[in-house]
Structure formats: C-alpha cells, structure tokens
Amino acid sequence: MHDAIVIGGGFYGVAVASYLAEKRGLASVALVERDAGLLGRASLHNQARVHNGYHYPRSFVTAFRSRVNLPRFAADFAGCIVRDFVKIYAVARRNSLVTPRQFRRFCGQIGARLDALPGPLSGVFDRSLIEEAFVVQEYAFDAAKLANWAHQCLADAAVERFMSTRVEAIYRSPNGIRLAISAANLSGPSDLHARYVFNCTYSGLNGFGGDFRGTVAPLKHEITEMALLRMTGSLAGLGVTVVDGPFFSAMPYPARGLHSLSHVRYTPHCAWRDELHGSPYPRLEAHERVSRVDWMLRDAMRYMPALADATYVDSMFEIKTLLQKNEVDDGRPILFEKHAELPGCYSILGGKIDNIYDILARLDHERL
C-alpha cells in the first residue's frame, strides 16, 4: 500500500512525485510510466521554450502566470536553461490579431521587457511583411539535461519506479484506490494500491477503465510535427516568433544542437475530440509521418528570407493535448480535477513547462 502513486513519467509526473515525497512528507510514493524512460514523450517532443508571457497576447492570465513563473523556473533549473541566443518577437504587417501598439501595451501590463531591434538585425526580416520587431527575454531548456534531472530527482526523493508498466484501470477499494497494471516482465502482483493517485499522463488522461469516469473538462488532441533545422549565418544565434495569427516560430532546440520550426497552420496534422477509455497513441503510431517542413519553410521565408539557407534534419511527431475551451483565445491554463467518484484521485494537465508551479500551488492547499 503506497501513500501516493503518480501515473506518468513526464516532467509533471516527476515533479509531482518529488513534491509529494519531499515537501508533503508522504513516506511511500511510487511513479508508474508506460515507457522505458522518463521524459520521453511530450516533455521531449516540443519547442523547448520557457515562456515569459509574450506568446499569449490574447490570454492575459496565461501570459501573466508565465511571467511570474519564469524567474523561479530559471533559478530552479539553471543547469538545464539555455540563454545564449537573442530572442525576437515580430508583429506581422498583415493578418496579425495584434498590432505593435497592442503588443507593447500588453507587455507593459504583464511587466515583460521589450527592447528595440538592433540595427544589424533589422535585415533579418522582410520589412514589407513585418511591421515591427522587438528583442525580448525568453529562454530554452535542454530536454536531455532535464531528463537527467528527473532520474536524480526521483532517486533523491526515494520514489519507487515502475517503468514499462501500463495502468489499465482505476478502481475504488476499501482502503483507497486500486490500479490494475500490466507489463511485459511483470513478476509480482498485477495491482497497486494507494491512498492517493495523481494522473499526470497528459494525452492519456482519459485512457483508463474501471471506476474512472474521465475529466470533466473536455479535451482535444492534435498530432503535431516539430521540424528540426540546422541554422547558419545570422540565424544561428537567434530565436524568432512572428505573432499573432497563422505564423511561425523558430527556437533553439538545445538537446539536439538544432533549431525547431513550428507553424500555426502546418504543425498540427490532424485533430480530434478526446474520448473516454480511448488512448490517442495508437493513432499517433499509425499516422503517416510525411513532413510538412517544405510548406513551413516556404511560408516562413517570406518573412525571413535567410531561412532559405537552413538545412532540414528531422521531425518530431507527438500528441498535443489542449482544453477545448481554449481553442479561441490560445490560453494554456492548468487542469486540476479531483474526482468525486474516486476520492483521492486527481487529474493534472499543464499546457507549458512553467505551469508546474501553479500545479504545486494547488497541491499545497490539499489535505493529504
């Protein structure tokens, strides 16, 4: 019988398990992960951006929480943070949902610094398509170093690990919660028991049978492509985001020594509404991974002609999970649900890595 079991070995699962053991003093904490390694799915296959609010001019709450959380994240994970690049946000002259004036006012409201684009960098953009550009304070994280942190973090917190183990169903039990598990090399019991269960499976939040009735908040899945490029010349030390509409972002991806390229129109390959007891991962595995990088580059080069010299290296395909209610404003609030039919069971979803502090703040108020 464990005090708590965390399902999911991504960044959120590891951070929650460590928090429960070290900050809340639970004596027996376990983590169950379906894959063989930690931080190997959404925590790895993303843009590796540590947000500072600039990305969300249409969602003040999301932007403000990023602005508040970034200094703490940068301090706590200093060894995983990359700062040695110039980050630029540019406002498109046409089809943007915000104007430069609105963007400046928004950044002032959340307390995010904006600096004028230096003259030597002004030639990066086609100024007939970019109305104004700013140098900002935003970082990237090294996903490989973060994975090393995860292993050490669980070891330091004495969290028991069940790797390559899948939770099939969640049930009420007389003393708490029972998890039915399966694993190829399972030699012990096929059940785990805990007083509390924390479902941190991101795209797999609703993929359990038994007494689990799913999240109240409706979810949406996307199969996304993050293209990886090798930058040369003036772009090698830059990160660029064009806002706010059907545009793109190119960020350093430190774990591979490359840049990621995402495009609002071409990065999502398909989307669907989440279904209870259904896993999205078979759909990802069956997806024909035909890259759209040519389309991404063709559009992005209109704004940044120097992208013509970039070399395509690879693409990362992954499931991205969102709250349906934020499809319009692009916000990324946390999901924190206690399941009434399963006392002691929580479902947790964060849209960005820095949201972890909002999750832990919610857990601070739970009587465990």
Side-chain angles (χ1 to χ4, degrees):
M1 180 74 166
H2 292 86
D3 288 330
I5 293 176
V6 177
I7 311 173
F11 177 76
Y12 276 72
V14 170
V16 168
S18 172
Y19 161 88
L20 294 172
E22 294 190 322
K23 303 299 183 183
R24 298 304 299 267
L26 299 187
S28 176
V29 178
L31 182 142
V32 182
E33 165 56 38
R34 59 182 286 163
D35 290 338
L38 299 172
L39 275 65
R41 284 191 173 269
S43 298
L44 175 65
H45 301 147
N46 61 72
Q47 203 167 39
R49 184 201 307 265
V50 185
H51 284 273
N52 200 12
Y54 304 101
H55 210 70
Y56 301 101
R58 290 180 290 125
S59 180
F60 179 85
V61 173
T62 298
F64 182 74
R65 292 310 307 165
S66 290
R67 180 72 191 94
V68 169
N69 289 332
L70 178 133
R72 183 176 175 185
F73 188 92
D76 289 348
F77 298 94
C80 304
I81 295 293
V82 173
R83 308 168 184 247
D84 60 347
F85 64 96
V86 177
K87 184 60 204 292
I88 300 171
Y89 270 74
V91 181
R93 195 172 293 277
R94 294 188 289 274
N95 298 323
S96 178
L97 299 175
V98 297
T99 66
R101 180 181 177 184
Q102 290 170 332
F103 189 70
R104 283 194 296 268
R105 184 170 64 243
F106 154 75
C107 290
Q109 290 171 339
I110 65 172
R113 179 175 172 176
L114 283 180
D115 292 320
L117 190 70
L121 292 179
S122 61
V124 169
F125 299 105
D126 182 336
R127 298 314 291 257
S128 69
L129 297 177
I130 295 296
E131 186 168 356
E132 196 165 353
F134 310 91
V135 174
V136 304
Q137 292 179 317
E138 198 170 66
Y139 311 134
F141 64 86
D142 188 321
K145 291 182 178 179
L146 207 60
N148 292 335
W149 161 85
H151 286 280
Q152 189 62 51
C153 180
L154 294 181
D156 292 345
V159 173
E160 184 177 4
R161 283 176 255 184
F162 295 85
M163 306 302 294
S164 301
T165 302
R166 184 193 305 266
V167 174
E168 303 289 355
I170 305 176
Y171 298 96
R172 288 185 296 270
S173 72
N175 298 318
I177 299 173
R178 176 172 65 91
L179 303 182
I181 62 173
S182 64
N185 59 349
L186 188 65
S187 58
S190 58
D191 290 333
L192 295 173
H193 296 264
R195 293 167 55 209
Y196 301 100
V197 167
F198 297 86
N199 175 16
C200 301
T201 52
Y202 190 60
S203 298
L205 283 177
N206 288 328
F208 306 108
D211 296 323
F212 185 77
R213 297 185 181 178
T215 60
V216 174
L219 305 178
K220 170 190 173 183
H221 299 305
E222 296 176 348
I223 293 179
T224 62
E225 176 189 3
M226 195 68 64
L228 295 177
L229 309 176
R230 181 168 289 109
M231 299 293 198
T232 59
S234 60
L235 299 186
L238 297 182
V240 177
T241 299
V242 178
V243 291
D244 180 26
F247 303 121
F248 67 93
S249 187
M251 283 282 295
Y253 189 77
R256 298 276 299 272
L258 301 169
H259 272 62
S260 65
L261 177 65
S262 62
H263 193 290
V264 172
R265 182 179 294 121
Y266 302 122
T267 286
H269 279 225
C270 61
W272 68 98
R273 301 289 189 254
D274 188 40
E275 297 178 356
L276 183 60
H277 307 321
S279 171
Y281 295 117
R283 192 161 179 169
L284 173 64
E285 292 163 5
H287 181 68
E288 187 177 4
R289 303 190 179 197
V290 177
S291 177
R292 296 178 176 175
V293 67
D294 288 344
W295 295 355
M296 296 183 200
L297 280 170
R298 191 177 300 120
D299 188 63
M301 282 189 296
R302 295 190 298 126
Y303 301 90
M304 294 175 57
L307 278 171
D309 296 327
T311 303
Y312 172 64
V313 177
D314 196 9
S315 284
M316 301 183 296
F317 290 86
E318 191 52 85
I319 301 286
K320 180 179 180 180
T321 299
L322 310 166
L323 299 177
Q324 289 185 26
K325 68 177 183 178
N326 295 115
E327 290 181 288
V328 175
D329 66 1
D330 201 34
R332 294 292 181 269
I334 63 170
L335 172 70
F336 187 92
E337 289 189 0
K338 294 190 289 186
H339 297 284
E341 73 281 0
L342 280 167
C345 182
Y346 298 76
S347 286
I348 291 170
L349 173 71
K352 301 178 287 82
I353 198 166
D354 58 86
N355 280 152
I356 187 60
Y357 298 113
D358 299 328
I359 296 292
L360 299 185
R362 291 291 299 271
L363 286 172
D364 282 339
H365 296 289
E366 293 299 312
R367 298 183 63 183
L368 303 180

